Amino acid sequence: MSRLQADADPALWVPVTESLGLRGRRHRKKAIRMLLTQANRSMGAEERPGSGVAAWAVSQAAPFLMRRAAGRVLVWVWKSDPDLLVAMAQVQEATPQLRTARAMMPIEYDDTETFRGTYLGVGEKLAMPLPADARTPPFATYTWDTGAQFITVTAVCSDRERFGTVIGAVDALARGLRIVDDLTMGEGPTVLRIDPS
C-alpha cells in the first residue's frame, strides 16, 4: 500500500497526523477552528457560537482518523500562527470518477503552472492568493498524476495579505513530498531475505 512521507521543517510546521493526546493539541485545535470558520464564511454564515466546542471535538478525533488513513493523509499547521495556515497532503486512487471531477472544475482552476518536486518529478501548482469570491480563503494546490494515483498538497491560509509570506514554505514542503510503497518479498532460490537487526 502506498503512503506519503515528507520532511517538514520542524521550525515552521507542527505535524497533526501523529500528534496524539496533548502533543500538538493547541495547534490542532486552532487550525481546525480556522478551517471551520473559513467553511462557514464560504457558505455565507458567520462563525457560530459553538464552533469552539466543535473545533475541540474534531481536534480530538483528527489524529485517530488520520492514523486510520495509514499514511495516505498527512497534515501540518504553521507553527508560529496555527490560525494562519494549514497544509494537507494526500494520495488517492486515480479512478475514472475522480478524473471526471477534476476535468469539470471551474475555468479558474486551469491556471496552473509547472511545479517540480524533488522526488515526485513534474506536477502542477495552482496558487489562488485572491479568489474571485471574497469569502473564499487564499489557497494553493500541488498535484502529481502518477497514472494510478493522484498525489495532492493543499494549503489554506486565513489571511489574504499574508499569503505571499508563507507560500515559499509551502513550496518547500510540497517539494519534499514522496511516496513510499511496502513491497512483500519472499525468500526463494534467487532471493535472500535478511531481517533487520
Side-chain angles (χ1 to χ4, degrees), residues 20-140:
L20 291 171
L22 297 176
R23 197 172 121 233
R25 181 174 58 96
R26 181 178 65 85
H27 287 84
R28 203 169 55 229
K29 181 179 170 187
K30 285 191 169 191
I32 290 169
R33 186 170 185 155
M34 182 270 280
L35 290 173
L36 289 173
T37 300
Q38 297 299 333
N40 285 338
R41 282 192 192 140
S42 68
M43 291 185 287
E46 288 303 314
E47 187 175 359
R48 296 181 176 95
S51 64
V53 175
W56 176 84
V58 174
S59 75
Q60 298 305 305
F64 295 101
L65 294 172
M66 283 184 277
R67 182 169 275 188
R68 286 190 66 187
R72 293 185 309 272
V73 177
L74 301 176
V75 179
W76 302 269
V77 297
W78 194 241
K79 186 171 187 174
S80 62
D81 187 357
D83 289 325
L84 178 66
L85 183 65
V86 178
M88 180 176 77
Q90 63 181 336
V91 58
Q92 298 173 291
E93 183 183 348
T95 63
Q97 294 84 359
L98 185 56
R99 288 190 183 280
T100 301
R102 289 178 57 80
M104 295 175 66
M105 293 177 91
I107 192 75
E108 60 263 24
Y109 288 81
D110 289 342
D111 193 17
T112 61
E113 60 187 74
T114 300
F115 183 83
R116 180 173 290 280
T118 305
Y119 305 100
L120 295 174
V122 177
E124 295 179 338
K125 173 185 173 182
L126 171 68
M128 299 284 281
L130 297 169
D133 187 344
R135 297 174 302 182
T136 303
F139 67 92

Side-chain angles (χ1 to χ4, degrees), residues 184-196:
T184 304
M185 293 188 65
E187 191 171 333
T190 59
V191 177
L192 174 64
R193 186 173 153 272
I194 301 173
D195 290 326

